[in-house]
Amino acid sequence: RYVKLNTNESPFPPSPRVLDALSREAIAHLNLYPDPLAKTLRETIAQEYGVTPEQVFVSNGSDDVLGFAFMAYADQTRGVTIPEVSYGFYQVYAQRYQIHPTVVPLNADFTLPVEKFMEQNQLVAFANPNAPTSLAMPLRDVERSVASNPGGVVRVDEAYVDYGGETSIPLLARYPNLLIVRTYSKSRSLAGGRLGYALAAPALIDDLNRMKNTFNPYSVNSLTMVAGIEAMRDRAYFDACVASTCKQRAVSAAELRSLGFRVLDS
């Protein structure tokens, strides 16, 4: 009856390969604990992005990755730098863990002022493309932020990068303080599966695993692992869904502009 837009769920069902893989045989193994190392899932993600499995962390949604990063890299004496307008959980986690945030206002055109995220030498967290503004920071500016913060981790949330913007993955080989966080909830059509992942240097991945294992080493369930593997492998379906969404985005923007609305270059 209603179309719910505020959480940006995919309008498409999961890949047919996901539906085929979630068989009676897979369900029959629910009496066993899932692989705490998520070996096959991490290998699949690593192969897709040209990194090693040791550079991949998986968890119960990207919110988990965010929470573990706050726990690992910030505290009452060492804060976090975040945009004033961005994903709401940045400020929620800062309050939860009693971390003093340095809150950076956006520019007048809603872009992120990269200079304010430089030379912080503490945890820096921003989304690229940003939400809800929909604008992306150029890769050169992301690199400026990462390069100028050798004493702090820079966490780049790429939940929407598949729909536009430049991924920071090429920077991983040069910057051990870069933490890229992604999700299966948007372009992979698995919001209900609760699966997020991070790409970083092995030392940062080890930090996140230490945080996760303190709470729950089995945080990703068996069926979600199976779904995540097949969703990542089905590149053709992924490409088709992303292309369809981008096509509709252009149509929607044109219609809104014709009605007199100002529409950012999403």
Side-chain angles (χ1 to χ4, degrees):
R1 184 178 174 188
Y2 299 107
V3 177
K4 180 171 174 285
L5 297 176
N6 70 305
T7 48
N8 288 340
E9 294 154 314
S10 172
F12 304 104
S15 158
R17 290 180 57 158
V18 171
L19 303 180
D20 291 341
L22 296 179
S23 61
R24 292 182 65 89
E25 180 182 359
I27 295 171
H29 291 140
L30 287 179
N31 59 309
L32 305 176
Y33 285 108
D35 174 13
L37 301 180
K39 182 176 182 292
T40 304
L41 175 59
R42 288 171 43 246
E43 289 174 344
T44 303
I45 295 171
Q47 184 176 12
E48 174 69 15
Y49 296 112
V51 299
T52 67
E54 292 73 27
Q55 292 177 278
V56 180
F57 172 82
V58 296
S59 191
N60 183 28
S62 59
D63 285 340
D64 256 15
V65 187
L66 173 63
F68 295 142
F70 270 63
M71 284 187 281
Y73 304 119
D75 55 28
Q76 289 87 348
T77 61
R78 198 169 154 86
V80 59
T81 301
I82 57 177
E84 183 177 31
V85 179
S86 191
Y87 183 46
F89 261 66
Y90 296 159
Q91 299 209 34
V92 170
Y93 277 128
Q95 183 178 7
R96 168 65 180 82
Y97 296 116
Q98 299 180 346
I99 299 166
H100 178 69
T102 300
V103 180
V104 178
L106 302 186
N107 293 323
D109 62 357
F110 298 104
T111 57
L112 296 179
V114 62
E115 294 80 8
K116 299 293 180 64
F117 295 95
M118 297 172 61
E119 299 179 0
Q120 297 294 303
N121 288 315
Q122 61 181 10
L123 178 62
V124 173
F126 57 82
N128 194 42
N130 195 22
T133 64
S134 79
L135 301 179
M137 181 186 292
L139 184 60
R140 63 180 181 276
D141 286 342
V142 175
E143 183 170 11
R144 290 171 65 196
S145 175
V146 178
S148 69
N149 285 293
V153 171
V154 177
R155 178 195 178 278
V156 182
D157 183 345
E158 293 190 345
Y160 298 102
V161 76
D162 292 325
Y163 301 108
E166 299 173 274
T167 179
S168 301
I169 291 176
L171 304 179
L172 285 175
R174 300 197 297 277
Y175 298 102
N177 62 321
L178 172 61
L179 176 63
I180 300 171
V181 180
R182 290 190 166 206
T183 179
Y184 273 79
S185 295
K186 312 302 180 184
S187 56
R188 303 282 175 183
S189 300
L190 284 178
R194 307 311 304 129
L195 182 57
Y197 58 102
L199 308 174
L204 295 191
I205 298 301
D206 185 57
D207 291 340
L208 295 177
N209 277 315
R210 288 170 183 265
M211 294 293 105
K212 183 191 80 165
N213 291 337
T214 302
F215 291 91
N216 181 10
Y218 301 108
S219 64
V220 180
N221 71 72
S222 299
L223 297 184
T224 292
M225 284 192 204
V226 170
I229 290 166
E230 295 306 321
M232 187 63 68
R233 287 174 176 171
D234 195 347
R235 184 76 196 194
Y237 185 78
F238 164 81
D239 287 340
C241 291
V242 168
S244 180
T245 301
C246 292
K247 181 179 179 180
Q248 181 59 50
R249 173 180 61 197
V251 172
S252 299
E255 290 288 338
L256 287 167
R257 289 188 177 109
S258 72
L259 295 171
F261 289 96
R262 177 189 178 191
V263 182
L264 299 180
D265 187 16
S266 173

